[in-house]
Amino acid sequence: MNKLKNIGITALAGTLVSLSAAEAGGVSVTGSWELSYTNLNHGKVTGNKLGVNKNITFGASGDISDGGAVTWGTTVAASDSLGLSSASLAINMGGIATLAYDSGTGGYGANAVDNIVPTAWEEIDYGLSTGISDLGAVSATKGSVHFSVKAPGVGTGFSVSYAPRMGTGHISDGATDSGAASSGHRGVDATIDFVNYSSSHFGLRWGIAGQQIFAEQHCQDASNAHTCSIHKGNPYGGSTFAKLALGPLHLGLQGTFQDPMQSADSGIKNKRSIVAGAALVFQNLSFSYGEGWDRYRWNDASRGGDTGHGLGINLNEGNGNKFKSGGLDIDGSGGEYTETKFHGFSAAINMGPVAIKGTKNRVGGWGENGANTGFGLQKTHSEINLSIAF
């Protein structure tokens, strides 16, 4: 009797172990090493132009007993401190639905379509402190949850992302975040692909995305914007995008609108951006060129004064922008809007695990800093990069 009892207890213990521990699948280790040479325009101090980046990624995958798969990955930036760069866990349910937890990869939700315009390497605002207005703040938050459904064939589908606390860092198992209250907003975004088809010589993608951030506190009445020091409401934004591939020619266009609900006189009322670009993609060689326009509308037209009036600068020169000074146009009129223009090109040569890439980007108009208010004050970022992957 005691022997049978011991056997039963041993069998039960084995069952509990199998239920509480995941069965191992395939394990992989990949990495990359990059050496770059960077040059800025004469108005900035470049310092040492040589830089290096080292990343190593640990991944694992396994099949679910009733169909589907689980994938896991963690990327470590191989600096002196070996800090965690990103991590994710995804459960693929039969190849149609996916449930994922993401901590820094940014490969889900609206952040995955923040700028889908094709490039040979980097986007046209890469390396510039002024970035083009886009969505993705919610799904780029570390510790966000994502659910997506994608139909086979044309790829019609949707995804929903949720961040319980915006602006957090990596959170360990069983831990909580103790960040400032200012980063305590919740957020949700959604992306819909009406068409997402790709083949060897033809591709078409068309969709929309939107995000909503729920502020901890906001002004109940938007009419008190000049006296309320918190959000006027819940910030939101939307974007529509389209991409077409015809053989080696790839074209893309995207428009985005954001209302950050800022209440201060010096705050932004809304943002609008348009990005367009084209790329030629061959087997081992690719080129791309793109342009972007970003327009801010401010709460107060006279927030900064008219410090540039009478400078004699031709408003139609340089990028076609009306350059601003303070809160007003240089001619003393208007003042609610400021405009920034981006343009840049990239090229890349791929030779198996080795790639040589280069980019040169420019920003003009009301870009990089508030002093960039006149013709000839464009900011540039040029970079050549050698990368080796294993």
Side-chain angles (χ1 to χ4, degrees):
M1 182 66 181
N2 290 333
K3 292 182 178 180
L4 291 176
K5 183 179 179 180
N6 291 336
I7 293 173
I9 292 175
T10 302
L12 176 61
T15 302
L16 292 176
V17 170
S18 65
L19 291 176
S20 63
E23 297 182 10
V27 178
S28 65
V29 179
T30 59
S32 65
W33 180 89
E34 294 183 317
L35 175 66
S36 64
Y37 177 85
T38 304
N39 189 44
L40 306 179
N41 58 291
H42 296 297
K44 284 193 170 183
V45 178
T46 304
N48 189 351
K49 299 182 179 183
L50 294 174
V52 67
N53 180 48
K54 301 87 66 181
N55 286 327
I56 185 168
T57 301
F58 302 90
S61 63
D63 295 332
I64 301 176
S65 58
D66 58 348
V70 177
T71 58
W72 163 87
T74 295
T75 300
V76 176
S79 60
D80 293 338
S81 59
L82 284 177
L84 175 64
S85 178
S86 63
S88 66
L89 173 66
I91 302 175
N92 187 316
M93 294 171 277
I96 295 178
T98 301
L99 179 64
Y101 168 85
D102 185 52
S103 186
T105 70
Y108 299 92
N111 191 64
V113 294
D114 64 340
N115 185 349
I116 69 164
V117 173
T119 61
W121 182 32
E122 290 289 358
E123 299 174 354
I124 59 175
D125 58 352
Y126 169 75
L128 304 170
S129 58
T130 301
I132 300 174
S133 299
D134 56 26
L135 302 185
V138 175
S139 45
T141 295
K142 296 179 177 66
S144 52
V145 180
H146 313 269
F147 178 74
S148 61
V149 175
K150 182 178 180 180
V154 295
T156 301
F158 71 92
S159 68
V160 178
S161 303
Y162 174 71
R165 187 180 180 90
M166 302 286 292
T168 61
H170 297 291
I171 307 299
S172 301
D173 175 35
T176 58
D177 177 66
S178 58
S182 60
S183 63
H185 313 315
R186 296 173 292 114
V188 61
D189 70 34
T191 302
I192 300 176
D193 275 305
F194 300 111
V195 179
N196 188 3
Y197 175 79
S198 180
S199 64
S200 299
H201 303 287
F202 176 78
L204 176 63
R205 187 175 188 182
W206 170 47
I208 58 175
Q211 73 178 19
Q212 177 88 62
I213 298 173
F214 300 95
E216 290 290 299
Q217 294 179 320
H218 57 76
C219 306
Q220 297 299 317
D221 183 2
S223 64
N224 64 350
H226 293 280
T227 59
C228 178
S229 60
I230 54 180
H231 286 89
K232 293 185 292 183
N234 293 318
Y236 69 93
S239 183
T240 181
F241 51 87
K243 186 163 63 173
L244 175 66
L246 298 170
L249 179 62
H250 296 244
L251 305 171
L253 177 67
Q254 185 160 5
T256 301
F257 175 87
Q258 282 185 293
D259 188 340
M261 290 290 175
Q262 296 179 1
S263 58
D265 288 353
S266 58
I268 300 169
K269 185 175 181 62
N270 56 57
K271 308 176 184 180
R272 311 171 195 182
S273 67
I274 298 176
V275 185
L280 288 173
V281 181
F282 304 100
Q283 184 175 4
N284 298 317
L285 183 64
S286 57
F287 303 92
S288 67
Y289 176 81
E291 293 193 1
W293 299 263
D294 212 350
R295 194 178 200 193
Y296 283 24
R297 183 176 181 183
W298 302 85
N299 287 330
D300 187 359
S302 301
R303 68 193 184 284
D306 180 21
T307 59
H309 182 58
L311 294 180
I313 298 175
N314 186 346
L315 298 178
N316 294 320
E317 288 184 343
N319 291 336
N321 290 328
K322 283 189 174 182
F323 296 113
K324 309 291 181 177
S325 183
L328 301 177
D329 292 350
I330 288 178
D331 63 2
S333 64
E336 290 92 350
Y337 296 94
T338 57
E339 298 177 357
T340 306
K341 184 174 180 180
F342 301 81
H343 61 275
F345 63 86
S346 292
I349 302 175
N350 296 292
M351 300 167 286
V354 179
I356 301 175
K357 301 161 288 186
T359 187
K360 185 168 185 177
N361 294 331
R362 294 178 180 270
V363 58
W366 192 268
E368 281 303 275
N369 54 66
N372 188 16
T373 55
F375 175 65
L377 295 179
Q378 297 184 21
K379 308 299 181 182
T380 64
H381 179 96
S382 304
E383 184 174 335
I384 298 175
N385 182 284
L386 169 65
S387 63
I388 302 173
F390 65 87

